[in-house]
Amino acid sequence: AQRVTQPEKLLSVFKGAPVELKCNYSYSGSPELFWYVQYSRQRLQLLLRHISRESIKGFTADLNKGETSFHLKKPFAQEEDSAMYYCALSMDNNDMRFGAGTRLTVKP
Amino acid sequence: GAVVSQHPSWVICKSGTSVKIECRSLDFQATTMFWYRQFPKQSLMLMATSNEGSKATYEQGVEKDKFLINHASLTLSTLTVTSAHPEDSSFYICSAPGLAGVSPDEQFFGPGTRLTVL
């Protein structure tokens, strides 16, 4: 079955520290992976997608098909990065599956 | 954790007919629910915010007369696509925020509904 797993429900780091939010997926087809972010009391926003290979707000994510992972990384976390982060999988038929989300807290 | 269900998971309809999609919070109450649409190979687009006891708030460019939203109870929101056309074919997904004071910033996503209009 198609599945997206974010193993950490909560993640807390200090400002300036590196951060990695884990995402693993299970899908036999050609996956397209996304990271969405939701800041407090704001709407869900697209952070990045693997096919664009962009770096947004200092975040990057590389699709590792061997490990079926799409971990989100940032070398130096900022307080404003505190938010809920959702990993999402888009399948060949364009249906989507979301992970349960990780709440990132960046402490001063 | 909290569970959000959607029904049906997929539906095929003829052009010109109306289709209703249900979004239910199974073990918690949701005064607000969000409806999204995903176009092929694109990111989710927020269509509207469904509010229990009041009118839905639609995003710019979304036709409120075409996409009728009714938040009938604290556990149910429905999206009705009226006079559906092939261009309405898409993947519709709903979400509900967590409990206020407990996890208000956490979103629980439904499994989505695939609509195909012939």
Side-chain angles (χ1 to χ4, degrees):
Chain A
Q2 307 88 6
R3 187 170 60 244
V4 177
T5 303
Q6 291 180 248
E8 302 142 327
K9 196 171 178 65
L10 302 171
L11 183 62
S12 182
V13 301
F14 284 101
K15 177 183 174 181
V19 63
E20 181 180 54
L21 291 88
K22 292 184 169 55
C23 173
N24 289 90
Y25 67 92
S26 174
Y27 180 56
S28 57
S30 297
E32 188 165 342
L33 278 299
F34 301 79
W35 275 101
Y36 286 86
V37 60
Q38 185 169 28
Y39 301 101
S40 182
R41 304 188 187 286
Q42 296 186 30
R43 68 184 60 188
L44 201 67
Q45 303 174 36
L46 176 65
L47 183 60
L48 53 81
R49 54 194 302 182
H50 89 269
I51 61 171
S52 64
R53 302 186 66 82
E54 291 179 297
S55 174
I56 306 295
K57 299 184 179 182
F59 285 96
T60 59
D62 290 317
L63 178 61
N64 186 322
K65 291 188 177 181
E67 295 182 357
T68 60
S69 68
F70 189 57
H71 303 327
L72 183 68
K73 300 177 183 178
K74 185 170 183 176
F76 307 104
Q78 302 299 314
E79 290 181 68
E80 55 265 30
D81 295 328
S82 296
M84 283 292 299
Y85 291 81
Y86 296 93
C87 182
L89 163 70
S90 178
M91 298 175 281
D92 291 329
N93 64 355
N94 295 311
D95 284 3
M96 290 192 80
R97 295 289 181 268
F98 279 84
T102 297
R103 182 184 301 281
L104 174 65
T105 302
V106 181
K107 296 179 286 189
Chain B
V3 177
V4 173
S5 70
Q6 278 184 246
H7 177 79
S9 56
W10 60 270
V11 57
I12 301 173
C13 69
K14 292 182 179 180
S15 185
T17 60
S18 294
V19 175
K20 180 185 286 187
I21 302 171
E22 294 183 347
C23 177
R24 291 182 186 273
S25 56
L26 296 186
D27 50 2
F28 67 105
Q29 295 180 335
T31 57
T32 301
M33 290 182 176
F34 301 95
W35 286 97
Y36 298 87
R37 179 177 179 178
Q38 195 215 3
F39 295 95
K41 303 303 181 185
Q42 297 186 36
S43 66
L44 284 183
M45 180 193 81
L46 177 65
M47 298 175 65
T49 302
S50 174
N51 304 298
E52 192 270 337
S54 64
K55 292 182 179 180
T57 305
Y58 289 83
E59 296 299 304
Q60 189 174 10
V62 178
E63 299 176 61
K64 59 183 65 178
D65 293 331
K66 180 168 186 60
F67 298 100
L68 300 179
I69 290 174
N70 180 28
H71 203 126
S73 73
L74 288 171
T75 59
L76 173 65
S77 175
T78 60
L79 168 67
T80 301
V81 183
T82 62
S83 187
H85 288 95
E87 56 265 30
D88 298 325
S89 298
S90 191
F91 188 71
Y92 294 87
I93 194 165
C94 70
S95 73
L99 295 173
V102 177
S103 56
D105 295 333
E106 190 170 0
Q107 291 289 330
F108 300 98
F109 291 92
T113 297
R114 164 67 54 191
L115 170 64
T116 302
V117 184
L118 301 176

